[in-house]
Amino acid sequence: MRRIEQSRLLGLTASRPIGERGNAFLSAYADLDCGDAFGIFADLSRFFGNNGVVATGVQTDSQGTSLMAEASGRRSFIDSDLDWLAATAKAAVGAGVRALPTVGPSRD
């Protein structure tokens, strides 16, 4: 029979609006039984237009600290949507197109 290790975790998450279109987010955790098991993530976001967001954040844990920045959004056309994303952390860029079903007169 395998023994399962138990941990006592303490976590905190907070989110707060900044103005009408911004947001601040913080999440942290710690394992009370293991001093080097912890993590903190903080993020600032700003919404623009109807479908876009720009965000930046920092993450720290026992492995080190990393920074991230991201911009994403959606552009709608008559019969399709274009989703886009540009991010840095390990440099990601992407886009996707979704075709919407065409509604027209029936051919009966």
Side-chain angles (χ1 to χ4, degrees):
M1 181 175 205
R2 186 175 158 199
R3 183 173 179 216
I4 298 174
E5 296 290 325
Q6 293 185 358
S7 294
R8 293 179 302 144
L9 297 177
L10 176 65
L12 167 73
T13 300
S15 180
R16 181 147 184 104
I18 300 173
E20 291 183 22
R21 302 185 65 87
N23 190 62
F25 176 81
L26 173 71
S27 182
Y29 75 92
D31 185 336
L32 300 176
D33 297 322
C34 182
D36 63 346
F38 69 92
I40 301 170
F41 177 77
D43 174 81
L44 294 174
S45 302
R46 172 90 166 112
F47 300 94
F48 62 93
N50 292 328
N51 299 311
V53 64
V54 174
T56 186
V58 61
Q59 177 177 326
T60 299
D61 59 22
S62 60
Q63 303 298 313
T65 300
S66 61
L67 302 174
M68 62 76 76
E70 177 179 294
S72 63
R74 170 174 282 172
R75 175 74 192 262
S76 295
F77 299 96
I78 293 172
D79 60 354
S80 62
D81 289 334
L82 172 65
D83 294 321
W84 58 271
L85 166 72
T88 64
K90 293 193 177 179
V93 176
V97 176
R98 178 179 62 149
L100 303 175
T102 304
V103 177
S106 73
R107 298 183 180 225
D108 293 334

